[in-house]
Amino acid sequence: MAVESEYAIETQNLVKIYKTGKVKAVDGLNLKIKKGEIYALIGANGSGKTTSLNMITGALFPTEGEIKVLGYDIPSNRRMISNYVGVAPQDYSIFFDLSLEENVRFFSRLYGMKKAEFEPRFLELLKILRLEEKRKALAKNLSGGMKRRTSIACALIHSPKIVFFDEATVGVDPVLRTFFWEYFHDLKKTGVTLVITSHVMDEAERADRIGLMRAGKLIAEGTPEELKQKHKASTIEEIFIKLSEGEIIDE
Ligand code: ATP
């Protein structure tokens, strides 16, 4: 039943047309993300990043196309694969009337984590996310950045093999963000695959590869250096701005 694949994620001709939408929110997306890679999906508002992630994580049915996560077809294997995947969605995935700890416990159960494994992993994450003081605090009383970090704790509690961060570091201060990126690279070293969407271009620059989306299509892809060379730009932000203005048509 296990399917060995060098790729954490593969999509082929992935298309999404929302029932209420007239256009293709995702229009023929072909992605290949290797295990242990940090991949940043960037693009203007409405370019299709969240829709793509939602299909890959099995939260949304594709209109057309194929998805494989760790070699398994999605959405048919989405329940089984959810134990290996962590998602920190754009909108907080936390319950405001529960404490930080209760929230993370809830997700640990959802992912089928053993009770005895919870405490050591939770303590580790509280330390990494600098939330030790807030363990018992109600989620609604946390600051915006702390809520976001709680959401990250919920996504990481079961030590997933693939983590999706959909603008997960919005509202997180720059010092902590730098600290998180060190942690992301530590995760990578253990073979974890990270897929992030971000509008913070210096974050995208820290990824191994970047995919640029426009109008549901992947129009440029490569390492930060490859993209800068190819598009004669000194920063990813410059490329992003050109992309939003529609100046880049890739291969
Ligand atoms: P942002 O950077 O603003 O988060 P995004 O790149 O993640 O944007 P999506 O949220 O995937 O973009 O949206 C892609 C397109 O699909 C947009 O035109 C959006 O209006 C549309 N869309 C998203 N969700 C829905 C929905 N539930 N029903 C109908 N259309 C939707």
Side-chain angles (χ1 to χ4, degrees):
M1 158 110 168
V3 198
E4 257 314 309
S5 170
E6 66 174 303
Y7 295 107
I9 296 155
E10 292 170 85
T11 73
Q12 224 181 345
N13 300 324
L14 195 58
V15 173
K16 181 68 189 179
I17 306 172
Y18 285 103
K19 284 200 179 104
T20 51
K22 292 187 184 77
V23 293
K24 289 179 177 172
V26 174
D27 187 4
L29 182 68
N30 292 302
L31 276 182
K32 276 186 192 290
I33 301 175
K34 282 193 180 153
K35 287 177 181 164
E37 204 173 17
I38 303 183
Y39 190 94
L41 201 55
I42 63 171
N45 291 138
S47 55
K49 304 177 299 291
T50 298
T51 305
S52 303
L53 293 198
N54 284 344
M55 288 192 284
I56 294 167
T57 57
L60 194 64
F61 277 94
T63 309
E64 282 171 38
E66 283 171 27
I67 305 166
K68 281 190 197 296
V69 172
L70 297 171
Y72 290 91
D73 287 322
I74 300 295
S76 51
N77 291 294
R78 68 187 188 284
R79 291 223 164 73
M80 183 273 288
I81 219 73
S82 70
N83 292 337
Y84 303 102
V85 170
V87 186
Q90 202 173 92
D91 304 317
Y92 300 122
S93 58
I94 55 176
F95 301 100
F96 282 14
D97 288 326
L98 296 184
S99 71
L100 187 164
E101 177 174 347
E102 287 164 340
N103 266 288
V104 184
R105 262 188 206 283
F106 172 83
F107 279 90
S108 75
R109 288 192 201 115
L110 206 66
Y111 292 129
M113 197 175 171
K114 291 193 182 84
K115 250 185 174 176
E117 290 168 359
F118 178 82
E119 187 67 18
R121 175 69 178 154
F122 183 51
L123 289 178
E124 184 189 10
L125 286 175
L126 284 179
K127 192 161 179 247
I128 290 162
L129 297 165
R130 311 268 166 101
L131 285 169
E132 288 127 310
E133 309 286 302
K134 300 291 177 184
R135 179 175 180 153
K136 300 288 177 197
L138 279 183
K140 65 181 168 197
N141 294 336
L142 297 172
S143 75
M146 288 172 189
K147 288 191 186 91
R148 190 64 73 181
R149 277 141 62 196
T150 302
S151 188
I152 294 175
C154 293
L156 292 175
I157 188 67
H158 59 308
S159 306
K161 290 185 190 303
I162 306 179
V163 193
F164 294 90
F165 288 125
D166 195 358
E167 292 181 40
T169 57
V170 171
V172 173
D173 70 61
V175 175
L176 263 179
R177 216 165 40 216
T178 302
F179 187 68
F180 283 178
W181 271 91
E182 283 168 18
Y183 178 59
F184 292 170
H185 281 279
D186 287 346
L187 284 176
K188 172 191 159 69
K189 280 183 208 144
T190 66
V192 172
T193 308
L194 287 106
V195 183
I196 63 148
T197 73
S198 179
H199 290 293
V200 182
M201 291 302 112
D202 71 342
E203 282 204 321
E205 297 229 32
R206 296 185 217 196
D208 296 324
R209 278 196 306 145
I210 298 173
L212 304 178
M213 285 189 80
R214 187 173 69 203
K217 289 186 198 301
L218 193 68
I219 63 161
E221 192 182 48
T223 66
E225 279 319 306
E226 282 167 0
L227 286 174
K228 282 190 246 177
Q229 270 184 19
K230 184 169 181 187
H231 299 291
K232 298 179 180 53
S234 54
T235 62
I236 296 299
E237 184 149 346
E238 244 180 273
I239 298 173
F240 185 95
I241 292 166
K242 280 190 199 172
L243 161 87
S244 303
E245 290 171 352
E247 286 181 21
I248 296 174
I249 299 294
D250 205 34
E251 38 262 26

